[in-house]
Amino acid sequence: MKIALLEPIGVSKEVIDELSAPITEKGHEFVYYDTKTTDPAELAKRSEGCDIVMIANNPYPTEVVEKADALKMLSVAFTGIDHIGTDKCKEKNIMICNAAGYSNQTVAELIIGMAIDALRHVVKADGLVRNGGTSAGLDGKEICGRTVGIIGLGQIGLMAAKLFQAFGAKVIAYNRSESEEAKALGIEYKSLEEVLSTSDIVSLNLPLNAETRGFLSADKIALMNENTIFINCARGPIVDNEALAKALNDGKLGYACVDVFDMEPPIPADYPLLQAKNTLLTPHQAFISEESMVRRAKIVFDNVTAYLDGKPVNVCKL
């Protein structure tokens, strides 16, 4: 089979060579492209004749899937697959396998870091001290004793919950289903309305799909209060970000820490959250760490090996 990795995945060429060795040793052809492209024509060219294509989080749209005549399987170095033309994949019976779990710890740790900054004004304090300022007015708050609401208690949400508990927070959650592991940890399941209205910190950890797009609408945002800290390290389109910006500017919401937007960075200058008060914005970096990139690379190659062995893993439901 011909197998191609269409873009860099955050690890060195040496790691790529090591991970691809089991594939080439079995007699399969492996091609690696060390430059990123979002051009559909170039993606189609790189996919030509490939039985298996490996990608990360750059779009692999319907028009590319349509032209990939030999394609049987996509191994995605990412958790979400909303950047792929999944309907066309389903139509052509192309299997998609993701890298679920690689960034659980990394994303959860950034969520904690964002919460600490929102409560202790770390970024603001850095600016003050560099400009001759003092700690006057920087009285912060602790995570300990606060109520944290997790919306979406999957693997990342559960990891974040555990870390918040380690700081002494009470954790409540909204999720479609309940897990015994979460209950054993003392996490209480509540309605969405109760999570939004009673939490000091709200962390959004839902996947993006047809059901969750626009999930956190203006009326749901309005359920949070003027002191609530809202954190989104999930997906931007799950939230009405214009309504989020308005709530911040109107003093109806305390603070927002946002790593994901309605588009991938760079963000247009007129994007509402860029002008919103009391925000900490990061450029979709939650999933990135040295450790997570190595985990991700291993998973995405293991997906290919498992498929070649006739025992596919991490198969996404289409």
Side-chain angles (χ1 to χ4, degrees):
M1 288 191 177
K2 182 178 179 181
I3 300 155
L5 173 56
L6 301 192
E7 59 182 304
I9 54 173
V11 295
S12 67
K13 177 64 163 53
E14 289 73 22
V15 173
I16 297 293
D17 290 341
E18 179 184 343
L19 293 174
S20 62
I23 294 171
T24 55
E25 287 169 2
K26 292 182 178 183
H28 302 288
E29 178 184 359
F30 176 73
V31 181
Y32 171 47
Y33 295 90
D34 60 1
T35 58
K36 183 168 64 174
T37 182
T38 56
D39 177 36
E42 177 61 21
L43 285 168
K45 182 180 178 182
R46 294 183 182 187
S47 303
E48 190 174 345
C50 291
D51 301 277
I52 298 174
V53 161
M54 306 162 75
I55 62 172
N57 62 324
N58 282 312
Y60 197 78
T62 297
E63 60 190 292
V64 178
V65 179
E66 178 69 56
K67 293 177 181 177
D69 293 334
L71 190 60
K72 302 175 181 65
M73 184 265 206
L74 270 170
S75 186
V76 185
F78 215 56
T79 302
I81 59 170
D82 49 282
H83 58 302
I84 298 170
T86 51
D87 288 344
K88 182 58 66 173
C89 286
K90 184 176 182 180
E91 179 185 319
K92 296 181 67 176
N93 199 31
I94 297 168
M95 182 180 292
I96 300 176
C97 301
N98 71 355
Y102 79 93
S103 65
N104 295 353
Q105 183 75 29
T106 302
V107 175
E109 286 189 9
L110 185 65
I111 290 169
I112 295 295
M114 286 178 152
I116 290 172
D117 181 78
L119 290 166
R120 299 298 300 276
H121 320 297
V122 179
V123 173
K124 181 180 179 181
D126 177 83
L128 284 170
V129 77
R130 292 177 189 277
N131 290 281
T134 71
S135 61
L138 286 181
D139 50 320
K141 298 176 181 178
E142 298 176 349
I143 291 176
C144 184
R146 317 214 87 72
T147 298
V148 176
I150 307 288
I151 299 176
L153 203 61
Q155 293 182 33
I156 292 174
L158 187 59
M159 179 63 73
K162 291 177 181 178
L163 295 181
F164 274 117
Q165 286 183 322
F167 277 84
K170 174 186 177 182
V171 178
I172 61 176
Y174 168 78
N175 201 61
R176 288 188 306 177
S177 58
E178 299 183 4
S179 83
E180 292 306 314
E181 180 182 2
K183 290 179 182 178
L185 290 169
I187 297 170
E188 298 179 25
Y189 285 94
K190 304 286 185 180
S191 67
L192 177 63
E193 292 73 19
E194 190 168 358
V195 169
L196 289 169
S197 62
T198 64
S199 298
D200 301 298
I201 301 169
V202 172
S203 178
L204 181 67
N205 297 285
L206 293 169
L208 176 62
N209 53 42
E211 294 178 6
T212 62
R213 187 174 293 273
F215 178 83
L216 208 67
S217 56
D219 60 326
K220 292 186 178 72
I221 291 170
L223 292 173
M224 293 184 280
N225 64 56
E226 67 275 8
N227 296 312
T228 303
I229 296 167
F230 173 71
I231 302 172
N232 184 8
C233 286
R235 287 291 186 274
I238 298 173
V239 181
D240 182 338
N241 287 300
E242 187 172 342
L244 180 64
K246 187 176 188 305
L248 289 160
N249 288 330
D250 291 347
K252 301 293 179 63
L253 183 64
Y255 206 91
C257 306
V258 180
D259 184 58
V260 286
F261 309 89
D262 295 285
M263 69 293 292
E264 286 297 310
I267 305 299
D270 61 349
Y271 190 70
L273 283 176
L274 296 185
Q275 282 76 46
K277 298 186 297 185
N278 300 326
T279 55
L280 173 66
L281 309 179
T282 54
H284 198 182
Q285 70 180 72
F287 65 97
I288 302 171
S289 70
E290 289 183 15
E291 295 86 354
S292 69
M293 293 298 95
V294 172
R295 283 194 297 267
R296 181 176 77 161
K298 188 176 187 307
I299 292 170
V300 79
F301 276 92
D302 285 348
N303 285 347
V304 172
T305 302
Y307 178 83
L308 294 173
D309 290 342
K311 301 175 181 178
V313 294
N314 298 317
V315 179
C316 299
K317 184 179 179 181
L318 301 181

